[in-house]
Amino acid sequence: GDQLAAEGVSVHVLGRRPGFHPSLAGSLRRAALSTGSTVVHSHQYSPFVYAALARVVAPSLRVVFTEHGRLSDAPPSRKRQLVNPLLARAGNRLFSVSHDLKRHMIEEGLPASRIEVIHNGIDIGVEPIDVETRARRRSEIGVASDTCLLVAVARLDPVKGLNVTIVTTAKN
């Protein structure tokens, strides 16, 4: 926030505390309308809840919800299954970063027809294709030339499944 403010961007700190605080929707609505904003882009579920509630009292606001992940493998709560179809009505656009996450959002009561998938992605640059570069890089990290190497870039969290062992059998 400080860096954005230094660049001249208006920053409004809402001071969210743990738990559900419906008054945050009013604070969000006032902040958006005071700056002339017409779109609230909410990353993750909790901000979506407050943005959807803000839109109920300020229908001119457009709400975009992007779900980037989940914090557990727990099944969807009954509360979300009941509330989410109503919240979805206030969300103009709903996005997920994977098909699996879209499936989970549907299980939580959000309408399948309204969720679009836009995959996360990064430009990893030019792939080193020459044999010498490949051999040198494998040597630098201690990986033999005949070893299958997989790389995962993720938050170190159990829900990411990074503890899964992959066993392959190569057949020539």
Side-chain angles (χ1 to χ4, degrees):
D2 292 340
Q3 187 177 7
L4 289 170
E7 296 287 329
V9 175
S10 178
V11 176
H12 297 265
V13 178
L14 301 182
R16 178 176 175 235
R17 298 175 319 279
F20 180 59
H21 303 282
S23 63
L24 278 178
S27 299
L28 176 59
R29 176 188 55 81
R30 284 188 296 281
L33 296 177
S34 74
T35 61
S37 299
T38 58
V39 176
V40 175
H41 187 184
S42 49
H43 289 261
Q44 300 298 87
Y45 184 75
S46 292
F48 169 61
V49 170
Y50 294 113
L53 293 174
R55 184 163 192 253
V56 169
V57 293
S60 63
L61 287 177
R62 309 284 289 169
V63 175
V64 175
F65 167 38
T66 306
E67 184 68 84
H68 289 266
R70 25 182 213 163
L71 297 177
S72 81
D73 285 325
S77 72
R78 187 70 186 132
K79 179 175 66 174
R80 282 193 182 189
Q81 290 174 327
L82 292 171
V83 170
N84 283 344
L86 300 172
L87 292 176
R89 293 179 182 178
N92 298 99
R93 302 294 300 269
L94 309 174
F95 296 96
S96 166
V97 298
S98 72
H99 289 286
D100 183 62
L101 190 52
K102 176 180 178 176
R103 179 192 52 77
H104 183 74
M105 292 169 70
I106 294 165
E107 290 172 1
E108 286 193 325
L110 294 169
S113 63
R114 300 270 318 283
I115 304 169
E116 297 177 58
V117 175
I118 299 177
H119 295 281
N120 269 341
I122 58 170
D123 181 359
I124 60 170
V126 178
E127 182 180 336
I129 55 173
D130 64 274
V131 174
E132 292 82 22
T133 301
R134 181 179 184 275
R136 185 180 78 251
R137 293 208 175 145
R138 283 176 160 268
S139 174
E140 288 169 357
I141 61 174
V143 176
S145 63
D146 61 347
T147 299
C148 178
L149 179 63
L150 301 174
V151 176
V153 178
R155 180 178 76 242
L156 299 178
D157 190 284
V159 75
K160 295 295 186 177
L162 297 175
N163 61 334
V164 174
T165 302
I166 300 173
V167 178
T168 61
T169 304
K171 294 182 181 178
N172 292 335

